[in-house]
C-alpha cells in the first residue's frame, strides 16, 4: 500500500513523467464498414480451412489520453474502386464514426499508419490537424520503388500516394526509423511482419493492460491462434509474419489484447460502447 501511495504522489507532482503519462490511455475499435458476405478462412490464412468462414470488418482504432486523440489508420472513402470486390455494406465515413464518441475530425492529433494499403490510408485527408507517423522504409517504397519496373504496388492507390505526399509537404508527416520506437509517451511501434515493405504495429500502455493494435500484421484471429501466416500475398515474409506474432505474445500479459486488423469477432469479444464501437478492456 505504501508503494502504491508513493506512485500516486509521484504522478500527481510529476505530470511530465513518461511512466505516469503512459498509464492513462483508453483504446477503442470503431467499425466503419463490413463485407456483405462471409469469407473462407483460407482466403486470409495460409493453409487455413476452406470449409470455415468468418466475417470481415473494416475498422480504425482510437487511442485517447494524455492530451492526445490518436487514430491507428485512417480507413477509406467509399468511392475508391478497390473496395468493390469486398461488396461493402453498412459504410459510415471514418470521420463520422468519431461522433459516436463525441469527437470531431479536427480533434484527431495524430494518426499512426500501420501500412499504406488503400483501406487503411485513403481517409487520411479527413483529419486535417493530425500528425501522421509512418515507417520510413515503408514510405520510401510506397512513393518510389513500388511504382518502378519490378515493384509491387498491389493494394496501393495512386490518389493515396498523393494524399501522403501532401501531408509531407505540409509538415504533417513524421517518418519512424525502425523497430521498437516510442513515438509518443506510452505508445511504441514495432516492425517485422512485412505485410507491406515495412509495416508496423502499435503497443499501447493503458495502465491495466498492454494492448497491441496489430492492424494487418495479423489479418484474423485464426492466424494468431494457430501461428499461421497470412495467405499468399499477405506478407513479403511468411516466417517473419509468424515471428512477429510470437513476439507480440511476449509483449502483452494476455493475448486477448492483441487485436487483428479485420476479424469481425473483435466486436463481440469486447465491451460495446456504442453500435460498432468497443472498448479494448
Amino acid at each position: 500500500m505504501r508503494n502504491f501511495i508513493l506512485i500516486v504522489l509521484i504522478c500527481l507532482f510529476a505530470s511530465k513523467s513518461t511512466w505516469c503519462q503512459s498509464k492513462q490511455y483508453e483504446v477503442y475499435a470503431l467499425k466503419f464498414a463490413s463485407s456483405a458476405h462471409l469469407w473462407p478462412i483460407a482466403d486470409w490464412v495460409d493453409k487455413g480451412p476452406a470449409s470455415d468462414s468468418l466475417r470481415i470488418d473494416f475498422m480504425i482504432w482510437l487511442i485517447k489520453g494524455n492530451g492526445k486523440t490518436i487514430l491507428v489508420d485512417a480507413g477509406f472513402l467509399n468511392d475508391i474502386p478497390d473496395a468493390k470486390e469486398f461488396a461493402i455494406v453498412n459504410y459510415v465515413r471514418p470521420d463520422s464514426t468519431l461522433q459516436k464518441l463525441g469527437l470531431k475530425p479536427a480533434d484527431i492529433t495524430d494518426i499512426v499508419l500501420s501500412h499504406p494499403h488503400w483501406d487503411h490510408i485513403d481517409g487520411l485527408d479527413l483529419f486535417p490537424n493530425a500528425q501522421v507517423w509512418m515507417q520510413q522504409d515503408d514510405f520510401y517504397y510506397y512513393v518510389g520503388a513500388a511504382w518502378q519496373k519490378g515493384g509491387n504496388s498491389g493494394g496501393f492507390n495512386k490518389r493515396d500516394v498523393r494524399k501522403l505526399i501532401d501531408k509531407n509537404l505540409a509538415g504533417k508527416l513524421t517518418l519512424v526509423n525502425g523497430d521498437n520506437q516510442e513515438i509518443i509517451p506510452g505508445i511504441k511501434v514495432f516492425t517485422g511482419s512485412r505485410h507491406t515493405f515495412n509495416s508496423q504495429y502499435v503497443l499501447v500502455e493503458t495502465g491495466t493492460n498492454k494492448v497491441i493494435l496489430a492492424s494487418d500484421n495479423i489479418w484474423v484471429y485464426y492466424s494468431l491462434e494457430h501461428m499461421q501466416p497470412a495467405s499468399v500475398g499477405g506478407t513479403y515474409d511468411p516466417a517473419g509474419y509468424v515471428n512477429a506474432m510470437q513476439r507480440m505474445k511476449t509483449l502483452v500479459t494476455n493475448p486477448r489484447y492483441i487485436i487483428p486488423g479485420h476479424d469481425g469477432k473483435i466486436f463481440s469479444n469486447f465491451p460495446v460502447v456504442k453500435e460498432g464501437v468497443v472498448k479494448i478492456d
Side-chain angles (χ1 to χ4, degrees):
M1 177 62 73
R2 184 173 296 174
N3 288 341
F4 174 78
I5 293 172
L6 180 60
I7 289 169
V8 171
L9 289 173
I10 290 171
C11 287
L12 286 173
F13 291 102
S15 60
K16 293 183 180 180
S17 163
T18 297
W19 189 94
C20 297
Q21 289 181 358
S22 69
K23 300 300 176 182
Q24 300 174 20
Y25 290 113
E26 296 179 344
V27 184
Y28 301 85
L30 296 86
K31 176 167 55 177
F32 65 91
S34 298
S35 180
H37 53 265
L38 296 176
W39 291 73
I41 291 176
D43 285 358
W44 296 85
V45 180
D46 186 40
K47 299 181 177 62
S51 57
D52 293 337
S53 60
L54 75 163
R55 189 178 83 245
I56 293 298
D57 286 335
F58 296 85
M59 64 198 85
I60 54 178
W61 298 271
L62 177 72
I63 304 168
K64 198 170 185 300
N66 301 330
K68 291 282 191 177
T69 308
I70 304 162
L71 290 182
V72 175
D73 295 338
F76 63 87
L77 305 184
N78 205 24
D79 66 341
I80 195 164
D82 309 70
K84 290 181 180 178
E85 69 173 293
F86 290 94
I88 296 297
V89 294
N90 302 323
Y91 177 84
V92 179
R93 213 170 70 173
D95 55 337
S96 296
T97 65
L98 296 175
Q99 295 175 11
K100 296 177 180 180
L101 294 175
L103 297 170
K104 302 183 295 294
D107 294 333
I108 301 302
T109 59
D110 302 84
I111 298 173
V112 184
L113 279 180
S114 63
H115 67 291
H117 282 154
W118 61 271
D119 54 321
H120 296 259
I121 193 175
D122 188 55
L124 202 60
D125 53 346
L126 298 174
F127 307 99
N129 296 331
Q131 186 71 24
V132 178
W133 303 79
M134 182 179 182
Q135 278 293 321
Q136 178 174 280
D137 288 348
D138 227 14
F139 171 78
Y140 287 134
Y141 189 80
Y142 181 60
V143 303
W147 306 96
Q148 297 292 308
K149 184 177 180 180
N152 181 2
S153 60
F156 299 162
N157 189 289
K158 291 180 180 179
R159 80 180 188 187
D160 297 332
V161 176
R162 297 184 179 100
K163 290 179 183 185
L164 187 60
I165 290 173
D166 284 345
K167 279 283 188 183
N168 193 28
L169 293 175
K172 289 288 190 178
L173 175 65
T174 300
L175 297 179
V176 183
N177 189 12
D179 178 58
N180 194 7
Q181 300 291 319
E182 186 174 55
I183 59 173
I184 296 167
I187 297 175
K188 287 186 176 182
V189 293
F190 296 83
T191 62
S193 84
R194 301 205 69 208
H195 174 62
T196 50
F197 193 78
N198 200 27
S199 57
Q200 62 185 359
Y201 57 94
V202 182
L203 175 71
V204 184
E205 295 270 7
T206 70
T208 54
N209 298 291
K210 292 181 179 180
V211 172
I212 287 179
L213 301 174
S215 187
D216 288 8
N217 297 282
I218 306 173
W219 265 337
V220 297
Y221 279 114
Y222 190 96
S223 279
L224 182 64
E225 292 162 355
H226 298 270
M227 285 292 121
Q228 291 175 227
S231 54
V232 175
T235 175
Y236 285 83
D237 180 1
Y241 193 98
V242 172
N243 289 339
M245 291 190 292
Q246 291 170 336
R247 184 189 192 190
M248 289 179 201
K249 287 187 173 183
T250 70
L251 295 173
V252 296
T253 55
N254 187 335
R256 164 182 169 82
Y257 297 106
I258 301 173
I259 311 301
H262 286 286
D263 199 315
K265 285 197 297 187
I266 291 166
F267 294 94
S268 57
N269 283 356
F270 293 96
V272 175
V273 177
K274 298 280 187 178
E275 184 179 359
V277 179
V278 295
K279 187 175 183 182
I280 310 301
D281 198 5

